[in-house]
Amino acid sequence: MADITAAMVKDLREKSGAGMMDCKKALNETAGDMDAAMDWLRTKGLAAAAKKSSRTAAEGLVGVAVAGTKGAAVEVNSETDFVAKNAQFQDFVREVTQVALAEGDSVDAIKAASMASGTTVAEVLTNNIATIGENQSIRRARRLEVTKGAVVPYVHNAAVPGLGKIGVLVALESEAPDEALQALGKQIAMHIAAAFPLALNEADLDAATIERERAIATEKASESGKPADIVAKMVDGAIAKYRKEHALVSQLFVIDGKTKISDVVAKAGKDAGAEIKLVDYVRFQLGEGIEKEQSDFAAEVAAASGVPQKPDTQPEA
């Protein structure tokens, strides 16, 4: 039997995009012949992952999970919504969410961590790409933790428990009873899913976003023809309104449309007999910010066949 070195396995993995264990097995099956090992992987459908990795993945699932006073949310993308219904993919997202509970926000750390099988997340991901037949990626992760209190999860329109297209975590610091924190957290999480706040507090809003809004408000106010001092006040008013509408604690509760979230939290604390602090939140919506590629099937077929596509022409009148 040929001596299969780690360097050989690494080289084959880089060339094929297949998982580490698959590459090792391929080399063992082919007595260390690199070309034959590549062919072996191709016959098993395991060398296709590298090519698939260039395709846009904007579908998939968001997963949320909690353990004690910690909670984690992850987004794992695929190319089509069909994969989100695949049990293998769902199990992977569910387990990656559990890994994020231990590893935190770093996608690299999550991918390097071992799953229950002993195989790394990255290797399982590569194998899934090959076996399911679509590009997949772990896009982002976030972990929240409180010293006392609760991190409450919520998935809007969950496909299966803990998995869906919008996942929310709400971190509440308090010595209030857990049932009170869970009820409050669920209500706030539902609000977050619907209202899409951009930050917890007004001071946390992105400075570049505020400046962009200020420029827009200035242009609109200037068109009014009012004096400069009035225009300045109009702009300040518009920015103040924007801050209130996009910071979570100052948003109006979607359930009643009139109570600020900060007041909802304060009342819940009073009712529970202990102060409750809303300290952080996470809202992951599947595919937000990803620009999906627009595919022209006719052009793809023409390109594959080597026949140039005729430009669209309109008949003359």
Side-chain angles (χ1 to χ4, degrees):
M1 181 179 291
D3 184 20
I4 308 302
T5 66
M8 293 169 65
V9 175
K10 181 175 182 292
D11 186 28
L12 181 58
R13 184 185 182 194
E14 290 175 351
K15 289 180 179 179
S16 67
M20 189 75 75
M21 297 306 296
D22 290 321
C23 290
K24 185 176 181 180
K25 184 174 182 181
L27 288 165
N28 281 324
E29 291 287 334
T30 58
D33 186 315
M34 191 65 67
D35 291 336
M38 177 67 83
D39 289 342
W40 187 92
L41 288 170
R42 290 180 63 191
T43 62
K44 302 295 183 182
L46 298 173
K51 291 183 179 179
K52 289 167 186 166
S53 66
S54 65
R55 303 205 298 246
T56 300
E59 297 293 341
L61 288 168
V62 171
V64 297
V66 295
T69 55
K70 292 193 296 186
V74 300
E75 179 182 352
V76 183
N77 297 129
S78 61
E79 291 181 56
T80 68
D81 186 48
F82 293 107
V83 169
K85 300 170 184 175
N86 179 293
Q88 179 182 341
F89 182 77
Q90 291 177 353
D91 288 343
F92 176 71
V93 178
R94 192 177 290 110
E95 191 165 355
V96 169
T97 307
Q98 292 296 323
V99 172
L101 275 170
E103 299 297 331
D105 301 353
S106 171
V107 171
D108 288 339
I110 291 169
K111 291 171 74 173
S114 294
M115 301 182 78
S117 63
T119 309
T120 67
V121 171
E123 290 170 339
V124 175
L125 177 62
T126 299
N127 184 67
N128 285 353
I129 293 171
T131 57
I132 294 177
E134 283 192 10
N135 184 29
Q136 298 157 49
S137 65
I138 302 172
R139 184 186 181 200
R140 52 182 172 168
R142 180 87 188 281
R143 184 179 68 186
L144 298 184
E145 185 172 4
V146 295
T147 55
K148 56 183 179 180
V151 175
V152 183
Y154 171 69
V155 177
H156 184 66
N157 289 340
V160 293
L163 304 176
K165 294 192 174 184
I166 299 178
V168 179
L169 295 172
V170 176
L172 301 170
E173 287 271 8
S174 180
E175 293 182 349
D178 186 64
E179 57 268 25
L181 296 178
Q182 293 295 327
L184 174 64
K186 176 71 175 296
Q187 286 192 323
I188 294 176
M190 293 173 69
H191 167 92
I192 291 169
F196 199 171
L198 301 180
L200 179 64
N201 302 295
E202 293 183 26
D204 299 329
L205 287 165
D206 180 63
T209 299
I210 295 298
E211 286 307 307
R212 184 166 61 250
E213 291 299 319
R214 185 177 294 279
I216 294 170
T218 299
E219 185 174 347
K220 287 182 177 179
S222 298
E223 293 174 354
S224 68
K226 297 183 183 298
D229 59 331
I230 302 298
V231 167
K233 290 180 180 179
M234 292 171 65
V235 171
D236 288 344
I239 295 302
K241 180 182 178 184
Y242 181 88
R243 288 182 180 277
K244 287 181 180 179
E245 290 178 347
H246 292 84
L248 174 57
V249 296
S250 57
Q251 286 183 326
L252 296 181
F253 195 24
V254 293
I255 290 179
D256 66 16
K258 60 182 180 181
T259 309
K260 290 196 302 183
I261 291 296
S262 58
D263 293 335
V264 172
V265 175
K267 183 179 184 303
K270 184 177 180 180
D271 292 344
E275 182 183 13
I276 300 174
K277 294 181 180 179
L278 172 55
V279 294
D280 208 349
Y281 78 94
V282 175
R283 182 189 188 277
F284 280 178
Q285 181 167 339
L286 181 68
E288 59 186 338
I290 298 177
E291 184 176 346
K292 298 184 181 181
E293 294 178 347
Q294 298 300 317
S295 171
D296 184 337
F297 184 69
E300 289 180 10
V301 172
S305 65
V307 178
Q309 188 178 20
K310 295 181 180 179
D312 291 336
T313 56
Q314 296 294 331
E316 295 182 2

